[in-house]
Amino acid sequence: MSDPAAVSELVKRARDGDPRAVARLITMVESSDPALPELAAALAPHTGTAQVIGLTGSPGVGKSTTTTELVRSLRAQRKRVGVLAVDPSSPFTGGAILGDRVRMQDHATDPGVYIRSMSSRGQLGGLAAATPQAVRVLEGAGCEVILVETVGVGQAEVEIASLADTTVVVLAPGLGDAIQAAKAGILEVGDLFVVNKADRAGADATYHDIQGMIGLADRAAGQWRPKVVRAIASRGEGIDEILAAIDQHHDWLVRHDELRRRREARAAAEIEAIVLAALRERLPAAVADQLPAVIAGTHDPYAAAAAILAELGLTTHMS
């Protein structure tokens, strides 16, 4: 699709609540449609106001159930909600293995909720490469709150923090060492920790362990101290407390101008990704032109790189 008028019409339909239009727009994003610049321009006036909440954690902790109950409570507040559930990729089709999202079917017929499974397509960090632009689509479609649920791959799943205003780390007792699941990157990016399945043995120990680990972290005066909440998502228990903690974090972000900083960083990462993608398209031919001289020893790799950058109109300390 390359007709700006057609793109604008799709965006209008999406804002009017047409789920098929939203689906088409996200498909355009996932497939790197040539009309992406026109789509971004049409969405821009309608973005930047949604609250983006990330949910991450190891497999089996109940992220999807927690997400489902959060949607239920948000809809009770009459908020329009979008859900992006990033799933592992099928090695055969590249599609999302858990794309049916059975646990979220309670909201499938609710016109105030849009749920989309996205394949990670081998992307590390728990998100799909197209997730940031898909968030923009849901913002443009009028979603007031967007929940982004990551793949669930463990400690390396920290990319969500660069996308979300608030990052929720879901844990559960009885699935191995909870601190191992939450240490390193995950512990550092969490704004809120949810000890789900709190009716299980070991839940209190997990709760206190996480509190202890948070207490050991160095933080400046006035810096946000992550909260820890108990929940039994399968029974809807603790969901109001989770939302209250998310609202407290959002208020803190606004008061300390951190929300603006996080969104600036998010926009910078999107711009950088687009620039790098454009450069990668041009690089193979430019590199191929330099290979004979480098192999022959008449040019070194740094000189070759400097020549490519100069050809692109860029300068570097190598030149």
Side-chain angles (χ1 to χ4, degrees), residues 182-239:
K183 71 177 185 179
I186 286 291
L187 186 61
E188 293 163 11
V189 304
D191 300 307
L192 167 64
F193 292 87
V194 175
V195 179
N196 192 31
K197 306 181 182 182
D199 53 338
R200 287 188 176 182
D204 287 343
T206 300
Y207 178 89
H208 291 299
D209 284 345
I210 296 299
Q211 288 279 27
M213 292 294 288
I214 292 171
L216 291 174
D218 289 331
R219 56 178 58 85
Q223 189 175 355
W224 175 256
R225 188 187 194 278
K227 295 186 176 297
V228 187
V229 176
R230 294 180 175 90
I232 308 174
S234 61
R235 301 206 297 249
E237 297 179 14
I239 301 302

Side-chain angles (χ1 to χ4, degrees), residues 2 15 28 39 47 60-61 73 78 100 103 105 119 122 128 133-134 223 230 233 244 246 261-262 293 297 306 311:
S2 57
R15 289 190 59 74
M28 289 173 65
L39 172 57
T47 58
V61 295
S73 291
R78 313 291 297 178
D100 55 348
R103 286 182 293 275
Q105 291 309 300
S119 168
Q133 293 302 316
Q223 189 175 355
R230 294 180 175 90
I246 290 172
R261 192 198 68 77
R262 290 193 180 195
E311 183 181 334

